[in-house]
Amino acid sequence: MLYESLSPATARVLRPFLIGTLCLLGVMSLTLTFLAMPVAEDFCRGGYSKDISTAFDRLVAEYMHWSGRWATHSIYYYTFPHIDMHSIAYNLLIFLSPFTWGIAFYAFLDIVYRKTLDTKFKLFLAILLCALFWTGMSHQGDTWFWLTGLVEYEFPYLTMALALWAATSDRALGRDRGRQIGAMALAAFLAFLTTGLHELPGMLFFGCMGIAFALAFVRKRPDLMIAFAVLGVITAVGIAINVFAPGQAERELVNFPNAKSPSAAINFFLSPRTSSIVWLGDARLLCLTVLVLTVPVFARARPDWISWKLPLPGPFGSMAVMVPIATMAAVVTGFAITDYAQGHEAPHRVRDILYAALIGGWMASLVPLAPLVSDMVSGDSKLRRSLQTGSLALLPLLLLIAPNTLYDIRDLPGIIQHWRPMLQARYADVAKRAAAGEQDIVVEQAISIDPKAYRWDDLAVDPTDWQNGCLAYYYKVRSIRLAEGAAQETTENLPGVNLKRDAE
C-alpha cells in the first residue's frame, strides 16, 4: 500500500530496503535482548523475601516510606523474588518490550484511523513506529532492555494506551448502554491500574479525558460527557493515591533535594539540550511526515473526527491545527511536571515515555493533514511522486544511521566477546563465595566495557554505594565492593569495545 503509486521497478527496490531495514533492527533488538544482564535495581527487587505471606506488609511499608506506585511494587514483591536473575527467564521477560510498544502504538493508530485503514496495514505501521521509537529513544537501556524499566515504565504506558483504546472503542462511543458501560468500566480499571504503576502515563490519560470531554460537549453527547468525566475523576483519584503517598515525601528528602523548585523546572525546560522542542527537528519524524502526506493510502483514510469543527476562533477550530497543539502541550507539560517534581533534568526513562507520546500524537496530527494536502495537490503531481519516492528511500536509511543503531552495531562485538562473559564469570564467582559463607566480598577485576544499549555501571570501590548494596542484598552477604586499584584495569586494544571515559 505504501508503494501503490510508484512504478513497479521503483517499488521492487524500495520495498525490500524498508522491509530489510526493519528486519535488521528486529534482529539487533532480539540479539541485545538475549545478551542483556540484570542491573542494580533488578538485584534489589530480586533479593526480596520469597515468603509471599510477608509481601503485603512489605508493600504497605513501601507505600508509607518510599513510593506510591502500589501496582508496580506489588509486581516487584510478588514476582521478582521468584525470578532467577541469572537465568534465561530474565531475557525472556524483557523480550516483552517490543510487543508492549507494538501493541501501544497499534492502539493509538486504531484510535485515530478507526476503520479507514486495513488492520494489517495498521499492524505494519505499528512496527514502523516501534522502529522509529527504538532508534530515536533517549536511552534503550532505561526501558527496552531493563526488567525494572519494563514493569515501571513500559507496562504503565501500555495500560494507558489500552485504557484510551477501550474508552474510544465503538462499544464505548455507541448507543447501546450495556456495551457502553462495559467498555467504560474496562477503561476505568485500566486507567486506575496505570496510575498505580506510574503517575506520568496516568496524567497523560487524564489529559486525554479532558479533551474527550470537550469533544463530547461539542458533539452534543451528554452520555459520553458523563462517562469521560467519571473516567477523569477515577484517574485523578488514582494519581492522588500515588503522588500523595506518605512515602513520596520521605523519598523526596533522599533523592530529590531540589524537588518542587519552579526555577529548576524552568531552567531544564528552556535548556536546548533537554527541552522537548528539539524533537520537532527529528529527521525520522520529519521523513515520516513527508511519507504520510504524499502516499495516497493516507489521503484516502478520512475518519469522521477530522471534519469536526471546534467552537474556537479562526484556524483553531480545525482539528488539523488543534491536534498538533494538543500533542506538544501534553509533551511539554509532562516535562514541566517531571522537572518541577524532581527538581532536576527528567531521566532518560521519562524522556522515553514522552517521546513515545510524541510519536503517537505526531501520527494523530498527520491524519487530518493528509487529506488536506491531497485535495490541494494533484494526484499525478511529479513533485508529490518525487517526495514520496524520496521519503521511502530516506526513511530506512535514517533508521540505519541513527545514533542508537550505530552505537549498538559498534558495541555488539565487545558485548558478545567480553562484557557478558566477564559479568557471568563475576556473578558465578560471587555466588560461589557467598555460598561458602564469605560475607565481605572483594571483586578484583574491573569491567571497563560500557555498552551504550544497557543501563549498567560497574561496581564501586565504596561498599556503601547503592549499586553494590543491591548486589550484596541479592546474594545475602554483608558487602560487595571493587578492589582498590581495580578500576584502573582496562581492556584497551580489544576490538569492538566501548570503554568508559573518566569524564563520564
Side-chain angles (χ1 to χ4, degrees):
M1 298 177 78
L2 284 178
Y3 305 90
E4 60 182 285
S5 63
L6 300 181
S7 68
T10 302
R12 279 196 298 270
V13 174
L14 296 182
R15 184 183 290 112
F17 185 27
L18 178 58
I19 299 299
T21 297
L22 295 177
C23 289
L24 175 62
L25 296 178
V27 170
M28 287 178 59
S29 174
L30 182 65
T31 302
L32 288 165
T33 293
F34 285 94
L35 290 172
M37 298 289 284
V39 296
E41 292 91 343
D42 300 323
F43 285 120
C44 265
R45 275 91 192 221
Y48 291 157
S49 172
K50 294 184 179 181
D51 184 356
I52 294 180
S53 65
T54 67
F56 182 75
D57 291 337
R58 290 169 174 264
L59 181 60
V60 171
E62 188 89 30
Y63 184 82
M64 297 301 295
H65 300 289
W66 189 250
S67 172
R69 297 171 188 169
W70 57 268
T72 290
H73 290 282
S74 294
I75 295 174
Y76 291 154
Y77 279 109
Y78 283 100
T79 65
F80 271 47
H82 307 283
I83 301 171
D84 182 353
M85 293 295 165
H86 297 310
S87 72
I88 193 66
Y90 182 88
N91 306 90
L92 289 173
L93 287 170
I94 62 174
F95 182 52
L96 293 174
S97 289
F99 298 98
T100 298
W101 291 110
I103 294 170
F105 285 129
Y106 181 88
F108 287 135
L109 290 169
D110 195 61
I111 289 168
V112 298
Y113 278 110
R114 316 304 293 179
K115 291 181 170 58
T116 60
L117 283 183
D118 180 77
T119 299
K120 291 182 179 179
F121 188 59
K122 282 185 286 190
L123 180 60
F124 170 77
L125 287 179
I127 294 172
L128 181 59
L129 294 184
C130 268
L132 285 168
F133 177 63
W134 191 79
T135 55
M137 63 198 305
S138 181
H139 196 299
Q140 297 168 331
D142 254 30
T143 48
W144 200 284
F145 300 119
W146 181 33
L147 185 55
T148 294
L150 173 71
V151 173
E152 201 154 350
Y153 294 91
E154 295 184 359
F155 281 177
Y157 191 86
L158 174 62
T159 55
M160 180 269 291
L162 293 178
L164 194 58
W165 202 7
T168 58
S169 64
D170 290 340
R171 291 183 175 225
L173 302 181
R175 301 284 183 174
D176 187 315
R177 289 292 176 265
R179 291 160 65 92
Q180 187 180 56
I181 291 172
M184 291 299 182
L186 175 60
F189 167 75
L190 290 169
F192 191 73
L193 178 62
T194 298
T195 63
L197 289 166
H198 198 289
E199 61 280 1
L200 180 56
M203 292 176 184
L204 291 174
F205 182 81
F206 180 79
C208 289
M209 289 303 97
I211 294 173
F213 179 87
L215 291 176
F217 175 79
V218 171
R219 303 296 295 170
K220 298 179 180 180
R221 289 288 304 270
D223 57 330
L224 293 181
M225 289 173 62
I226 294 172
F228 292 137
V230 171
L231 283 177
V233 170
I234 291 173
T235 305
V237 170
I239 293 171
I241 291 173
N242 181 336
V243 173
F244 297 109
Q248 286 292 111
E250 292 189 27
R251 186 183 179 194
E252 283 181 3
L253 292 175
V254 176
N255 285 357
F256 310 119
N258 297 319
K260 299 177 182 176
S261 167
S263 60
I266 293 172
N267 289 337
F268 286 115
F269 172 68
L270 295 178
S271 169
R273 187 176 67 86
T274 60
S275 174
S276 58
I277 303 301
V278 299
W279 284 339
L280 295 178
D282 188 317
R284 292 168 295 276
L285 291 178
L286 294 176
C287 189
L288 177 69
T289 300
V290 176
L291 180 64
V292 172
L293 297 183
T294 57
V295 172
V297 65
F298 295 108
R300 294 195 300 266
R302 304 190 180 203
D304 292 342
W305 65 267
I306 68 173
S307 61
W308 295 352
K309 298 299 180 183
L310 304 176
L312 295 171
F316 296 105
S318 168
M319 298 297 283
V321 174
M322 288 308 299
V323 174
I325 290 177
T327 295
M328 283 309 300
V331 175
V332 168
T333 301
F335 270 102
I337 291 174
T338 303
D339 291 346
Y340 171 76
Q342 297 188 353
H344 61 69
E345 177 182 333
H348 292 297
R349 46 197 175 274
V350 169
R351 293 180 64 83
D352 288 344
I353 287 179
L354 294 174
Y355 184 60
L358 177 71
I359 290 176
W362 194 289
M363 279 300 298
S365 302
L366 297 178
V367 177
L369 283 177
L372 287 177
V373 173
S374 180
D375 291 343
M376 292 186 293
V377 180
S378 171
D380 59 356
S381 166
K382 291 183 179 180
L383 175 61
R384 178 173 178 169
R385 286 201 306 272
S386 298
L387 290 173
Q388 179 185 353
T389 303
S391 60
L392 282 168
L394 185 59
L395 183 57
L397 180 62
L398 290 173
L399 295 175
L400 289 174
I401 65 172
N404 282 345
T405 308
L406 297 178
Y407 283 134
D408 292 342
I409 292 173
R410 178 200 64 184
D411 290 345
L412 260 177
I415 293 171
I416 295 171
Q417 298 172 38
H418 308 289
W419 180 79
R420 181 176 169 85
M422 287 177 180
L423 270 180
Q424 287 178 318
R426 171 186 289 179
Y427 293 145
D429 178 61
V430 169
K432 181 180 178 180
R433 293 163 68 179
E438 190 173 343
Q439 284 297 301
D440 296 296
I441 297 176
V442 178
V443 175
E444 300 294 338
Q445 176 67 54
I447 300 176
S448 297
I449 305 170
D450 186 21
K452 198 170 180 63
Y454 300 132
R455 190 176 187 272
W456 177 84
D457 284 302
D458 204 358
L459 290 171
V461 173
D462 182 0
T464 64
D465 181 87
W466 74 271
Q467 295 188 95
N468 293 37
C470 281
L471 198 60
Y473 184 58
Y474 182 78
Y475 285 106
K476 310 304 180 190
V477 298
R478 189 164 44 240
S479 70
I480 296 178
R481 68 177 179 85
L482 197 61
E484 296 282 353
Q488 278 68 54
E489 298 178 24
T490 65
T491 50
E492 293 182 39
N493 302 320
L494 289 176
V497 170
N498 173 28
L499 297 179
K500 293 183 181 179
R501 297 186 298 272
D502 293 338
E504 295 176 334

